[in-house]
Amino acid sequence: MYPEDSSVDGGALRIGGCDAADLAREFGTPAYVVAENDLRARAREFVEAFGRQHPGPGEVVYASKAFPCTAVLRVFAEEGLGCDVASGGELHLALRAGFAPERLYLHGNAKSDAELAMALEHGVGTVVLDNEQEADRLLALGGGPRLLARVTPGVDADTHEHILTGQAGSKFGMPPEVARELAERVDLAGLHMHIGSQIRSLDPYRRAVAALARVGDFDVYDLGGGLGVPYVPGDEAVEPAAWVEGMVAAAHAELGSGKELVLEPGRALVAGAGVTLYRVESVKPGLAGERIVAVDGGMSDNLRPMLYGAAYHVDVAGRLGQPGVTCTVVGKHCESGDVLARDVSLPDPRPGDVLVTPVTGAYGHAMANNYNGVPRPPVIFCADGDARVVVRRETYEDLHGRDL
Ligand code: LLP
């Protein structure tokens, strides 16, 4: 569950060589802690597997929405990845973090003229067209970027319906026949698909690639991201190298081996590198005798349990591996749905304890919010025993800084 770069000694958890309880004391809670070496290891795993399986042209692209902050993007720029941006704000961040504009892919199902113009102005390499009207608007603004058409392949995958994107009825992309028509009047370099997120088998990808093959013959195929990760012990997931292998094999079989291929993982690059630290504020019995453990964060730093019913593992920072009692870990927000983890085993939790939830690197910071006036947590990078703040904690002044 914990980053590659972590260890447990006498119940004490270290991330990137830094003791979790010490980090909580030094930087406060809640805090997102990221093992920098784990980010780099994941990037290399994807890039090496891709190079092995597909020596031809192509690249691995980081879907920056998964963990959008300068330091994380900088790591992936240094590791040689491209970058997927889904808005003007993500484009701005990617340029700020040092990505070469030609390595950027602009996505989005409702791009504004301003975002399209921004992409042209900065020399963004690839624009992934969601629909015909967008294609016309972009061409009216001028040419430049390589164009891919996002196809809705009509494939269902086994994941939460809110993060399924390639099925009939999806708001993303265009039907195959529309892509075919578009290719007749617009110079399309290729096709794009992204069938959803937190997907734990290769089968739906294979079916989706077969659907792309039926659209026509193109030079470039961007097969999207979506590789799932294990969140709690016992979760099954495809390993990054096996996913890359399966994706490339499907592409070679359906599209031929001479194509330029692009993969766009987000979650699988960042999820496991991050943990969240909380401080316990209270422990009380519920009406049914259950133990309710309330922490100083919740749905403001991790919306995933609420939005997707996501399960997380929880430990007490200094007492890993000790026998526990069944607890419900809840957040501090004024909503009954603000539950971080149900039925988790914690060793006699007490106020003041530091709780750790592993696998929070993806879509935690990304979807953080200020409900109930709770400032968003800092991001702390840990590596080789050193910790540094790469995103500072929000202040109360920040919360009201825009009020006129
Ligand atoms: N490419 C495109 C076009 C995407 O829309 C996405 C994610 C990705 C790549 C990367 O997908 P990943 O490898 O991270 O699954 N907030 C949700 C996830 C939303 C994903 C949106 N698109 C969650 O917390 O589960």
Side-chain angles (χ1 to χ4, degrees), residues 63 65 84 150 163 194 197 226 264 266-267 304 308 363 367:
K65 70 202 76 177
D84 145 352
R150 178 165 180 168
I163 49 177
H194 172 73
S197 202
E264 298 176 332
R267 183 191 317 269
R304 299 198 68 263
Y308 320 113
Y363 301 108
M367 298 195 293

Side-chain angles (χ1 to χ4, degrees), residues 16-254:
C18 302
D19 181 82
D22 289 348
L23 291 170
R25 254 189 305 277
E26 185 174 350
F27 299 105
T29 50
Y32 300 116
V33 173
V34 174
E36 184 179 350
N37 293 333
D38 192 278
L39 293 179
R40 292 187 189 279
R42 285 296 82 69
R44 287 171 198 176
E45 196 177 355
F46 275 101
V47 169
E48 282 165 20
F50 187 70
R52 264 197 315 276
Q53 302 299 327
H54 184 71
E59 62 182 335
V60 178
V61 165
Y62 168 50
S64 65
K65 70 202 76 177
F67 200 148
C69 79
T70 307
V72 170
L73 269 77
R74 211 171 259 158
V75 164
F76 292 136
E78 285 169 10
E79 294 296 332
L81 273 57
C83 187
D84 145 352
V85 298
S87 68
E90 288 184 359
L91 171 54
H92 185 263
L93 176 64
L95 292 169
R96 174 174 200 269
F99 276 99
E102 60 271 18
R103 304 289 306 279
L104 300 182
Y105 291 69
L106 178 65
H107 287 276
N109 71 308
K111 301 178 190 76
S112 66
D113 281 350
E115 286 170 325
L116 293 171
M118 185 178 172
L120 296 183
E121 182 194 333
H122 291 282
V124 162
T126 305
V127 172
V128 180
L129 299 169
D130 176 84
N131 57 73
E132 285 191 287
Q133 291 160 0
E134 181 193 308
D136 293 333
R137 286 196 287 126
L138 178 66
L139 293 175
L141 288 167
R146 182 171 78 160
L147 301 179
L148 305 180
R150 178 165 180 168
V151 173
T152 321
V155 161
D156 258 305
D158 183 18
T159 188
H160 193 280
E161 59 170 326
H162 293 171
I163 49 177
L164 194 61
T165 52
Q167 79 285 20
S170 169
K171 71 165 187 167
F172 296 102
M174 56 190 93
E177 61 276 14
V178 174
R180 221 175 282 128
E181 284 162 24
L182 188 62
E184 282 167 19
R185 59 186 188 87
V186 169
D187 185 16
L188 286 185
L191 303 180
H192 171 274
M193 67 176 217
H194 172 73
I195 60 171
S197 202
Q198 185 57 11
I199 295 172
R200 266 107 54 90
S201 96
L202 279 160
D203 190 53
Y205 288 105
R206 294 193 188 103
R207 285 183 276 130
V209 173
L212 291 193
R214 293 193 289 273
V215 178
D217 188 29
F218 296 89
D219 295 332
V220 185
Y221 289 90
D222 180 339
L223 306 181
L227 171 61
V229 300
Y231 276 98
V232 294
D235 263 1
E236 302 270 333
V238 179
E239 290 291 325
W243 181 75
V244 171
E245 189 179 338
M247 297 292 274
V248 171
H252 287 179
E254 297 288 346

Side-chain angles (χ1 to χ4, degrees), residues 330-362:
V330 303
K332 67 181 278 124
H333 298 277
C334 306
E335 296 244 356
S336 289
D338 177 30
V339 173
L340 283 169
R342 283 188 196 281
D343 296 333
V344 287
S345 171
L346 296 175
D348 189 25
R350 302 181 282 265
D353 279 346
V354 174
L355 297 194
V356 197
T357 49
V359 206
T360 55

